[in-house]
Amino acid sequence: MTEQPKLACRNIWKLYGPDAESYLEKHPDPTLEDIRAAGLIPAVRDANIDIRDGEIFVIMGLSGSGKSTLVRCLSRLIEPTAGALEFHGQDLRAMSEREMIEIRRHKLGMVFQHFALLPHLTVLQNVAFPLTVQGQKKAAAEMRAREVINLVGLEGRETYYPRELSGGQQQRVGIARSLAVEPELWFLDEPFSALDPLIRREMQDEFLRLQGMLKKTIVFITHDFDEAIRLADRIAIMKDGAVIQVATPEELVLHPATDYVEEFTRHIPRAKVMSVGAIMERGAQGSGAGISQTAKIADIAAQVVAAQTPLAVADDRGQIVGAITREAVISVLVEQGT
Amino acid sequence: MRVSRSSLLWIGLFTVTWMLASYGKSMATAADMKWLIKYPNAWVFPLKDTISDMMRWLVEDAHFGLFTFTEATRALSWLIEQPYNFVRALFSDGFDRRIGRDAVQIVPPLSWIAVLAGVIALGHYAKDWVLAGIVGASFAYLAVFGQWESAMVTLASVMIAVPIGVGGGLMFGILAYRHPLFERLMTPVLDLMQTIPIFAYLVPILFMFGFGPVSALVATVIYAMPPMVRITTMALKAVDPEIKDFGVMTGCTTRQMTWRILVPAAQQSLMVGVNQVIMLSLNMVIIASMIGAGGLGFDVLSALRRLDIGGGFEAGIAIVILAIAIDRLSQAFAERSTMYVPTNSGTSFVARNPRTVIVGVILVIAMGLGQIIPFFQTYPEGQTLTTGAFWSDAVKYLNINYFDQFEAVKIFFLKGFMLPIKRFFLGVPWPWMIAMIVLIGWRFGGWKLALMNGLMAVFIVTTGLWAKAMITVYLCGASVIIASVIGIPFGVLAAVNKRAGRIIGVVIDTLQTLPSFVYLIPVVMLFRIGDFTAMIAIVLYALAPAVRYTEHGVGSVSADLIEAGVVSGCTRMQILTRIRLPLALPDILLGVNQTIMLALSMLVITALVGTRDLGQEVYIALTKADTGRGIVAGLGIAFIAIIADRVIPASARNARIRYGLEGGHD
Ligand SMILES: Nc1ncnc2c1ncn2[C@@H]1O[C@H](COP(=O)(O)OP(=O)(O)O)[C@@H](O)[C@H]1O
Ligand SMILES: [Mg+2]
């Protein structure tokens, strides 16, 4: 491994029920059936993930698969039953309460499914809240709060109370609030699941726009595979508390680790996740200034199909590395139909 | 079939009990085993003397190193007295300075006009002009009908008791929320405090603090605080877990978590608790006047003692009106705290606080003018109206013209309903009754409940209170039956018919804000003293929960189930009897449970009309300042209450499980 991950989680377990800890000590590697037979609830089983600097890491799974529990273990909102956590190489689980408070105040941010806004505070006060908890002066905190409120497009609503806002606007407040302290690591637990589908898309775009500007390290939870595909750099798929595959959207679709994963990916249009790089002819000649090799096929399909000749493909630095043919694109598009 | 066999068993046991009740006495006499019916005095354990001795030791000799127990109570009472004296001077007595042997008033109390303006402004601030009108009219009534001074004394004690009750309740509630161990210790204490009748702790309080407003305030706070503790713990637990997670993720310290996240987020529920404290404090005013609170409560009590119907009624109504005004006001404040109110910041103080300024101006003018023209200071006595004579005449008229009818009703109920129940409870041999209580506990709550029931019943027997306890059970049982027979149908009606529901709601609300003593006045006038009078007063007081819970239970049956009923062709009657009522049964049972609790707490008050139950025992102890006797009898009532309070919810849970409304196995 070349680069140290921002947050590493090693063999994290979370079992609910009486004496879960001693059970796990006695049975170091129980199966799902063992745990259930012992009358415990397996919320997270032996999870291993690395969150890399600057990536959007999506945790995907059906409801009850343990996503929220896992992400709460990562921030020690819930104490894991077993396992290790490393934040910047520091042992997070060894930190004292006081140290955790400091880390949470300055380095972590979290957005919640049902927004978790404080009903008795205005938008401005809600967003300034984490800053005032740190002890910042009201004026400074409110100035910073106004900045992030503008960032999420809520200027003019500062004096509103949460219940006077729509769901989408409330979640913008939630996002602004979690960004106010400029967290290094940003957790979002199904932030858009409570919103209508149309608003959800709009919020996803907004989220990508923000991330384009802020370049945070993000752990994003969703039960919606389409959302995962749209947003993720990498996706972890969870089932019954276990992480069954961690991969880029493209790898997931092309090489699902299990039937379960394949089931999810089946309805996903290949063109949406496959990048130009996957089907280009390396070293071949093409016309044009060069399509980015990381572009999704769906986005460039019209262009390629309309062109008479193969189009040139460039890498990140603009170097031409190959070409993409009309036939290759069409075969990806057609494969979808079957 | 298992079910029918177990119900057969219960029917059998009941029949045996009934037979024992009817023939047990003669059989026991024949077999020369009278002790089966009447617990022999020689076997009574003199617990009350032990307790009396302990109390005496506490007050006379107890020493905590640096100070004595008496010094501690004196200090506490000084602490409570200071703010009380100030508020009372402000609203009622004025500020005096002692010159030689005379007190000279240097500052008069607040002018009635200023207070009126103040409460109107509060009403407008809290909600709107309608509320301002209601509150204003209520206070104007107090002035015009000559109740002003007493009402202000009562208001002063409420203004001291409520903040203490709310603050203390909040603290204990937060502690219980934070420390599960503390909660586990607290819960049984709270249960006991809420089931133990007020009279029972009046005696020890009187013993410790002496006769006077401090004792009254202490009793009021003890009575009014438990619901606040419970509501606080519950409200904090009910705060959305996401909001709690947010607090932790923001890096809140424990203190920030409590005061900046949990308490504000739970504000709405907490305000319900505040309202409860206010209403309970008002409920206590009459009882508190027995140990030294003045004001309206004292007026009612002395009127009751003089059998002055008119005077008692007037002061009673004044309490009701004061209670309604304060209740509405505090509810409006509770709602307001969650309402969006634009603040026009940036402008001058006058523009931002128009009401404060107006009230301030009125205060200055009224107090200034009051120095010259007394009308502005105190409402002139000559101008007051009185309805006392009207009430007295009305009751006299009814008594003269309808005496026979009232008497007939009374005798009908006594002979046909109450006496048989009384004979039943007094006739069953006590060992058999204890066995039944244990068996019932075992059936609904397992061996723990059985053991608890057994110990409590044994306590009652061995302290020599069995007969009085059985009279308590009979009086309470008869009242609860009547209250249920009246209350449950009204609850059903309120649930199925909106308009009827509103009217019933208002009636029940009023019944609940009326302090318990008020019921006694007219009933005593019409039926004179005795068990029947006591029963009517108890029914009136304890009716509310039977109606409320039934309404809630019937009304909250899921709409899907009702639609399913409609689709499968049920008539409205069938929907009611086949779907709504069975599903509402658990709620109805809980309502009956609450009714029993209220009935038991009212029993002590009915001792005033000459019942021979545990309530009377407490009352006698109070008048004789016999601490041990009061506490033991109070515990007896509390134990009856606790047994009912454990068995009935357990059976309600059984019903819920049977209908699949709750997980578990039968
Ligand atoms: N406090 C708890 N006590 C017992 N079981 C829990 C608790 N919290 C979560 N669970 C269980 O753990 C599993 C995972 O829950 P969760 O992490 O909330 O799933 P997700 O967020 O993926 O929907 C579920 O089966 C849930 O019932
Ligand atoms: Mg979840």
Side-chain angles (χ1 to χ4, degrees), chain B residues 44 58 83 112 195 199 223 286 347 375 399 407 451 476 533 632:
Chain B
V44 171
L58 205 59
W112 69 280
T195 37
F199 266 176
Y223 176 65
I286 302 178
T347 45
F375 173 82
N399 266 336
E407 206 59 16
L451 181 69
C476 171
T533 304
V632 169

Side-chain angles (χ1 to χ4, degrees), chain A residues 16 41 43 62-69:
Chain A
Y16 283 108
I41 300 169
L62 298 181
S63 131
S65 58
K67 310 178 297 290
S68 297
T69 309

Side-chain angles (χ1 to χ4, degrees), chain A residues 75-76 79 90-104, chain B residues 248 251:
Chain A
S75 55
R76 278 188 62 197
E79 213 52 62
Q90 284 173 290
D91 183 356
L92 203 60
R93 290 198 65 192
M95 302 246 175
S96 69
E97 186 60 33
R98 197 65 242 176
E99 287 169 312
M100 272 321 289
I101 286 184
E102 279 311 303
I103 287 188
R104 290 193 184 114
Chain B
V248 178

Side-chain angles (χ1 to χ4, degrees), chain A residues 285-301:
Chain A
Q285 295 296 313
S287 57
I291 306 166
S292 163
Q293 114 182 309
T294 56
K296 298 279 177 272
I297 290 169
D299 298 331
I300 50 89

Side-chain angles (χ1 to χ4, degrees), chain A residues 58-120:
Chain A
V58 171
I59 300 175
M60 210 307 294
L62 298 181
S63 131
S65 58
K67 310 178 297 290
S68 297
T69 309
L70 176 57
V71 83
R72 278 166 172 71
C73 285
L74 297 185
S75 55
R76 278 188 62 197
L77 268 175
I78 296 177
E79 213 52 62
T81 313
L85 291 170
E86 267 178 30
F87 183 60
H88 283 306
Q90 284 173 290
D91 183 356
L92 203 60
R93 290 198 65 192
M95 302 246 175
S96 69
E97 186 60 33
R98 197 65 242 176
E99 287 169 312
M100 272 321 289
I101 286 184
E102 279 311 303
I103 287 188
R104 290 193 184 114
R105 281 187 178 178
H106 299 286
K107 308 221 162 125
L108 306 181
M110 189 152 180
V111 178
F112 298 87
Q113 181 172 2
H114 302 287
F115 325 132
L117 301 180
L118 296 173
H120 63 290

